[in-house]
Structures are given as C-alpha cells and as structure tokens.
Amino acid sequence: MGRLTTHILDTMSGKPAAGVTIELFHMGGASASDSDGAGRDLLAKAITNADGRCEKPLLEGDVFRVGVYELVFHVGEYFAKAGVAVSEPPFLDAVPVRFSIADADSHYHVPLLVSPYGYSTYRGS
C-alpha cells in the first residue's frame, strides 16, 4: 500500500527542522504545471518533530490515490522562532512543492532542504 512522507532539513544549521507546519493539498483536476491553485482541498496538516519528520505518513491507505498534490512548508515561521535574522517580510515564507503521484502502491517521500534564502527538494526513498 502506498504512502506519502516528508522531512525537513535546515541546511543553515545542519539540523532537522523541528516545529515546521506542513499542509498537504489535493489539487483537484489540476495538472502539476498549473499555477492558479484552483480546486485545492486541504487533506492534512502536521508539525514536524525533533527529527524534522511527521509522526505518521501524511497520506496513506484508501485516500492515497493517483493525482496532483501540493505540500506547503511554513518555513518563515520556523526561522522567525529560531531567531534567524531575515528580511521583513522573509524571502521564503511558505514554500509550495507541487508534485504528482502516478503509482498508488508506491512510497513517495518528498523532503525539503531549506535555508532562509533557498531550498531544494527531490523524490526520496
């Protein structure tokens, strides 16, 4: 059975990013390249633990389906709470990552590597 997991690494400090709010949306009929966000349905909300991970998969079981999804990582709040000196408003506040699930029987892991001024992501294992 498939599932979706994530984790966040603060590349500025070299440590997991604890306490980051993450939202997961299903994009309705959108394709991964659509940018208007129409038809966005909130499926899950979580806060990362001390290891920068969610306590359980964000999506699994019968609700894990083929489709277009978006993770929103609220990193602006994280860096502010950590006392990091950033611009106001912060350069990165909410980082959206839109991706597609093509195989409902696979494990999709979408990590975020982030600093106050840049980020990267990939499909992990």
Side-chain angles (χ1 to χ4, degrees), residues 4 22-28 37 39-45 58-59 67-74 96-99 101:
L4 172 66
I22 302 169
E23 296 171 313
L24 172 66
F25 295 91
H26 180 257
M27 299 306 294
R40 244 172 46 146
D41 296 315
L42 181 65
L43 298 179
K45 189 172 184 178
L58 290 167
L59 199 60
V68 179
Y69 296 85
E70 186 173 86
L71 285 167
V72 179
F73 299 89
H74 294 272
V97 177
R98 191 169 298 177
F99 60 96
I101 292 173

Side-chain angles (χ1 to χ4, degrees), residues 46-125:
I47 298 175
T48 58
N49 62 20
D51 197 31
R53 298 176 185 277
C54 300
E55 293 296 330
K56 62 180 187 171
L58 290 167
L59 199 60
E60 64 182 335
D62 293 339
V63 295
F64 188 82
R65 299 182 181 146
V66 170
V68 179
Y69 296 85
E70 186 173 86
L71 285 167
V72 179
F73 299 89
H74 294 272
V75 298
E77 295 171 0
Y78 164 78
F79 286 116
K81 286 179 188 174
V84 175
V86 295
S87 60
E88 186 55 46
F91 180 71
L92 293 178
D93 188 19
V95 174
V97 177
R98 191 169 298 177
F99 60 96
S100 297
I101 292 173
D103 179 1
D105 292 322
S106 290
H107 176 201
Y108 283 73
H109 184 70
V110 183
L112 184 74
L113 309 176
V114 68
S115 74
Y117 295 97
Y119 68 91
S120 65
T121 188
Y122 55 93
R123 180 173 175 192
S125 57

